[in-house]
Every structure is written in structure tokens, then in C-alpha cells.
Amino acid sequence: MAVGAEAIFGESLITTKLDSAISWARESSMWPYIFGTACCAIEFMSVASSKYDISRFGAEVVRFSPRQADLLIIAGTISYKQAPILKKIYDQMSEPKWVISAGACACSGGFYDNYTTMQGIDSIIPVDVYVAGCPPRPEAFLDALLEIQKIQATQSLLEDRAKRVFKGVLDA
Amino acid sequence: MPKAFKTLFQEHYSIDSYGAYILPKELILQALQILLEKDNYTFLVDMTAVDYLNQKNHPERFAIVYLLRDHNFQNLITLKTYIDSSLATQSITSLFKSANWAEREIWDQYGIHFKNHPNLKRILNHKEFVGHPLRKDYPITQGQLCHKSDDLMDEMTPRLKTKGYSSQEELMFLNLGPAHPASHGTIRTFVALDGENITCAVSEIGYLHRGFEKSCENHTYNQIIPYTDRLNYCSAIMNNIGFAHAVEGILGVDLPERAKFIRVIIGELSRIIDHLVCLAAILVDMGALTNYWYLYNPREKVYDLLSKLTGARLTNSYMRIGGMSHDLYDGFEDDLKACLKEIEQGVGEALKLIEHNRIFHDRTQNVGIITKEDAINRGLSGPNLRASGVPYDLRVTAPYYHYETFEFDIALGSVGDVYDRMMVRFEEIRQSTRIIHQAMQRLPGGAICVENHAISLPPKKEVYGNIEGLMNQFKLIYEGVKVPPMEYYRAIEGANGELGFFIISDGSGTPYKVKVRPPCFYAMAAYPRLIEGSMIADAVLTLGSLNIIAGELDR
């Protein structure tokens, strides 16, 4: 016996905008790439494990190839030495893609106000959601994921995302 | 005692007020050779440079400090040499392989050249970096953009030559990291492959260099505690303890009994969760995902306990100079017992799955072997060294916090392969549990901080109630704990090995220099040699078994 949506709608037709249908599908099937460099990455391990369980939000298929991912989560400090690598990975991801900057270091350099650390990764790549905390609690990671889902819902397929203007310090 | 060294060099050295032997730089190599070969000082603990630009009473601006332990790990000797304006000295890599990366770090951070070093180049900072950041005249916030990564061929080509490859055509080159799932953070290993076999490997670190040591130089002692959390972030409190322990050594204070026992309990708990995350991660790398859940869930339980105790899950900042921020909470003991029970259960379940598992044995036994002698010469410590069969544990060789009165065993391996390194960690979890049970039984009441308000904050009642308390609070917060001038090294047994801090204080509330002895750094330096000749899949496990934590490695 059918339960859930199919029980209610049966064989009826549903009309909607293509944008809405695609956003609805995308929302719960994010494929994150974890650019974990430091302490925040250890907290991400908690996000992925049983207690917080990121798969409840459909984002448990963690990819380590930028070609297969559509959500870049930067979890940890980005040093000047790391910056060109982060940029390369962002550039290798295909559109549509979203970026979460998790933790104080990635957002602003955190308390590493010194010669080693980028004072915020938004000077290299565009960021969609910032997460505060040093490191952020797992709940904050999940909250950021929900924020990304909200952003997705407002974006249209017809918009050519690749044409967005962003010029970072490493762009020639 | 270093008899041969003393008789041969007594006319050449002088001893400074902190107990270091000062030698002319021409004699350092010779002296270290005598110490190594005649006096059995086989373990180079650490070496670092000092920039005395702002301190008077020194003949030259730069000095290099060598710290060595003897073969029983009982005695520590400090050698120091001043470097004249030529800014160059002899490399000691011919005696200690561990000096290779240590000297590169000194060159990178201070710009001191080492003659006869096999490959003196930057290690923590990037290739395009200009200047030497730990010099006192380098502005702390002056960052420099990096546009392109190093291709590492300058290291790879000579390495290939030593292996008899003249052309690179038959080999394939591959980067494992810095952004790679098995690189555990941001470590890069560049390998030359013949099929699936690694013929040559070169590692590059520094991707998480966060300027810990420079930041220490403009923060007060207690402000440094949060920075130490982020060295080995898998066992943050252990680093707090290590740093506080070193500063307390300079101050010459003895902690109240209760504080010592709390440090033992929380320290051992940190060791356990560090090992848990190491084992969980390596088992995932091996494809054994189930074990990950078994081992990670108890860690999650400990997080709950730690957030109740300190307010933070991961970066706890629980310790302070002279004690800790606050006492245990009501009901702590029950929570701790529940944690230990869950840990025991998790470890038991995980072991059940792998202990007699053929695949596990085949993947780990006789893989990534490092022999006793090589491990010592390369400066490995902690579980990695014990897995090679060397019973070096600072809790036993130089006990602190009454460790000599606890009953526990040192877990030892015999082969020094991945299997031993993992099993030593499993056993250490058990032993730490034993220590915690004993410490809980013996936990006395009383103060948790030293009763000296020039060191630890006065109770709030006094701060609000009388002027002296207010003054103490104000001075401690604004100026920091005043630490008398000293050059001092003290270490504890961290989760990963000997975690030491070499601190130069100048009487103010801010250290003049802090150098960490990160156990990972030396393990990582040994790593490329461990994986040469093995397969890529083995390299992944070898890295996991050494438990490299980037925060501690790159500082």
C-alpha cells in the first residue's frame, strides 16, 4: 500500500515551474567537498558521524574530487601557502556551486592575525554562507547547510552563474 | 653524565646561568659527535634558533640551541652556540637525521645557513616568501601572497638519482595531497611511481603554518593557552597542560594536589580521545567504516563531558598558568564513568572486528617498518617510538604529577610497523583508563590553583571587595603573569609523543620566545623514507598510523 505523497496524489498531474522542481530536487542532494585543513575539520567529522548525521539533510555523499561536488565547505585556516590550492579547487568545481566558509579562520583569519594566515577567504573565492565559531559546533554546520538550501531555492536555472563577477587577489 | 664530552671540551665550553653549555660554533659538530658516540646522547630532542636583537648581554645577535637526551632518556643536555654575522654554521644532519627538517625550519624562520645540509630550503613558509619571519625585526602582520605551489622537482630529481633513475620517462608522478582525503589535514607527499610502487617520495609541509611561535611573542602567557589548543586539536587540553607545565617550571611553583590529579584525569582522557580519532581515521582509510562509528561515538560522549566542564567541545582552553580555570562540576564522576564505559565498549567492539581479521593483518603487518635505531635517530617519540620497541615514556622516565605512583604499563611494539603503532594506541587507551580510575579514587579536595595572586586570578569576591584583589586582577589581565628571565625546556608525554616547550622569558608578562617541540614534526620527516618501496595504499595507512596532526606539525 502506498504511503506518503504518492498515496495522496495518486496518479494526478502536478504542475510547477521547472526552477522550483529542480531546486526542490537539488536542495536535499548536495554533494559536499570538504576542504578541511584544521580543527574545524575535526568538528566536521562529528557532523558526518551518527549523532549529528548530515545525511538527514541529504548531504552525506562527501566527495573528494572537486569535479563531483557542488558544495565547497572550507573548514579550517587558509594560509597564504594554501590559498592557490583552494582557488584551484574552487575553479575545478563545475557550476552550479556554493561555498560555506566555516569557522573564524576561514571567515576572517580568526585570532591568527599574523604573517601566515589569509585574513578571510572571500578575498580569493566568493562565499555564500559564513559560519562563526572556533570551531563552530556541529549544529552551526547544519544551520549553514540549511541556509545554502534557502539560497538555492531563490536561484533560477536561467541565470548564467558562470558570468558572476568576482575578482579575488589571486585572479590575474 | 656526559663524561667524554666534559673531559674533551672543558677548555672550550662555558656554562651559562641556565645550565646550557656554550660552545664556539666550529666545535658543535665535533661535540655532538662525541656526545652521540661516546656518551650515548642518541636522541636529538629539538633544535632552534634565538634572535637576541632586543636583549643585551649576548655576544652575537643569533644563537642556536640543541637539546639532547641520552639513551636512557634520563638526562637532558642543552648546547648553545652563537652565530656571528656570517650567519652560517655546520649542519649536523650527518649525525642526526632528525636535524634535516629542524635545520630547514631555522633557515626558513631565522635565515641561518647550514653548510653541508642536503637540501636547505624553506619548509613552513611558501616559496615566494621574502625575509625570515621569526626575526624580531619582521613585522608580525606582514603577510605575503603566494601565487604558485612548489613543484618539488628540486628534491625529487636528486632523490631519483640516488635510486638509479637517470630519466623520468618510465615513472609516473603523483601528488598525494595537500587536498586529498587520506592526507589527514593538509600534508603533501609527492611520489614517483613505478606501477603502484612508490620508488621515491618527498613531503612538503607548512600548509597549516599559522605563526604560533610569532603570535606567542605578542601575547601574555595566559593568552597563549587558546593558541596551544590549536596545536594538536585532537587533544587540546594536553597542549594546555604542556605549556602551563613549562611556564610553571620557570616560575618554580608546585601545583596544589587537586590540580595535579585533575590534570592527570583530563590529560589521560585527552590522550584517549586523541587515540580514538587516530584509530577511527586509519580504519576508515582501510575501508573499515564500521569501526569508525564504534570509535567515534565514545569520542562524541567525551565531547559532551568536556563541554559541560569547559564550555567547549574541541578547543577547551581549560588550563591556566598555575592551575585551571575552574573546578570539576557536580556529577562529574558519574559522567566520567559513563564515558569510560562507552570507550571500553567501543574499543572492544572495534577490536573484535579487526583483532583476528586476516585482511586487517595483511594490510598492516610488516608495512611501513621503522627500526629502533632509525626511529631514535629520526627523533620519533610517543606511541610511534614505543611501537618500535623503545620504552620511552616521559610519564615513566621523568615522572610529573605523581605518575610514578600510578600503576600502568608501557605498551610496546616489537616490529615498528603500522600494526604495532595501532595496537600500541589501543593498549594505551586501556592503560589511560586504568590511570583515570586510580586518579579518581585518590582525587583530594582543596584548591585548584596556586595561592599566589601574582600568578592566578584572585576570587571574584576579593576583586569586587577590596583594592588589593582588584589590583591583582587588573595587573594579571593587562600585564600577564610575570615570569623571571630564563631559558627553559620542559616536556610532557603528549598523546603523540614528547610535547615540549622551549621558552625564553625576559621578566615581563610576555615570553621572548616560545618554541614547541611538536612530536609530529619528526614523525612526518621520517615518513617519505618509510613509504619508499611500498605501495600507494600502504602509504595511506603509514601516514594514518603516525597520527600526523597538521596543527601541531606546521604550528
Side-chain angles (χ1 to χ4, degrees), chain B residues 169-385:
Chain B
E169 277 164 20
E170 64 256 58
L171 296 169
M172 189 178 101
F173 293 93
L174 185 73
N175 272 306
L176 301 172
H180 188 276
S183 76
H184 289 238
T186 52
I187 301 145
R188 176 179 174 201
T189 305
F190 182 52
V191 292
L193 295 172
D194 180 7
E196 284 243 5
N197 292 311
I198 298 170
T199 49
C200 288
V202 174
S203 285
E204 190 197 17
I205 65 166
Y207 287 102
L208 195 58
H209 179 43
R210 303 194 273 196
F212 171 78
E213 281 149 19
K214 189 81 173 174
S215 286
C216 286
E217 292 171 13
N218 71 348
H219 286 79
T220 64
Y221 286 93
N222 272 323
Q223 282 177 332
I224 293 169
I225 300 271
Y227 283 98
T228 62
D229 273 336
R230 289 151 184 84
L231 289 172
N232 181 348
Y233 32 72
C234 290
S235 52
I237 296 183
M238 201 68 112
N239 304 282
N240 296 170
I241 297 176
F243 180 71
H245 188 58
V247 178
E248 285 151 13
I250 305 180
L251 289 166
V253 293
D254 194 31
L255 289 185
E257 289 300 294
R258 185 172 174 82
K260 287 184 191 169
F261 278 90
I262 293 180
R263 282 197 180 172
V264 168
I265 294 164
I266 303 295
E268 292 303 323
L269 197 61
S270 303
R271 187 187 315 282
I272 293 175
I273 59 172
D274 190 281
H275 287 351
L276 283 177
V277 80
C278 166
L279 292 165
I282 188 177
L283 285 161
V284 171
D285 289 348
M286 217 178 289
L289 189 63
T290 319
N291 295 281
Y292 177 81
W293 311 123
Y294 284 146
L295 295 172
Y296 206 85
N297 287 348
R299 191 179 152 97
E300 198 64 58
K301 182 110 180 162
V302 177
Y303 277 152
D304 288 345
L305 176 129
L306 289 179
S307 28
K308 248 167 132 176
L309 179 65
T310 68
R313 284 160 54 87
L314 193 66
T315 44
N316 314 89
S317 301
Y318 183 43
M319 298 303 157
R320 297 287 181 275
I321 311 301
M324 53 214 57
S325 59
H326 43 263
D327 209 335
L328 305 176
Y329 59 88
D330 287 341
F332 173 82
E333 191 168 357
D334 293 337
D335 285 358
L336 182 67
K337 274 183 186 153
C339 280
L340 291 178
K341 203 174 158 198
E342 194 152 319
I343 288 163
E344 202 178 328
Q345 201 183 341
V347 169
E349 301 272 11
L351 272 175
K352 240 191 263 173
L353 284 175
I354 57 170
E355 218 166 12
H356 304 291
N357 183 328
R358 175 77 192 276
I359 302 171
F360 174 73
H361 287 180
D362 287 353
R363 292 280 331 257
T364 56
Q365 286 176 351
N366 297 314
V367 170
I369 299 175
I370 184 160
T371 62
K372 235 185 226 185
E373 294 73 25
D374 206 26
I376 292 175
N377 196 261
R378 289 187 183 276
L380 264 66
S381 58
N384 297 333
L385 183 61

Side-chain angles (χ1 to χ4, degrees), chain A residues 8-55:
Chain A
I8 300 166
F9 294 113
E11 289 183 349
S12 42
L13 271 174
I14 296 168
T15 53
T16 180
K17 287 199 298 188
L18 184 62
D19 265 349
S20 315
I22 299 233
S23 296
W24 173 79
R26 262 186 196 154
E27 200 173 86
S28 306
S29 61
M30 298 300 287
W31 288 25
Y33 178 104
I34 303 304
F35 198 84
T37 59
C39 336
C40 293
I42 305 291
E43 275 302 64
F44 188 84
M45 288 169 79
S46 288
V47 179
S49 64
S50 2
K51 186 167 173 188
Y52 294 95
D53 196 8
I54 197 171
S55 64

Side-chain angles (χ1 to χ4, degrees), chain A residues 74-89:
Chain A
I74 292 102
T77 315
I78 301 299
S79 64
Y80 287 105
K81 193 171 183 174
Q82 186 90 56
I85 291 152
L86 173 62
K87 180 170 162 44
K88 195 170 203 173
I89 282 177

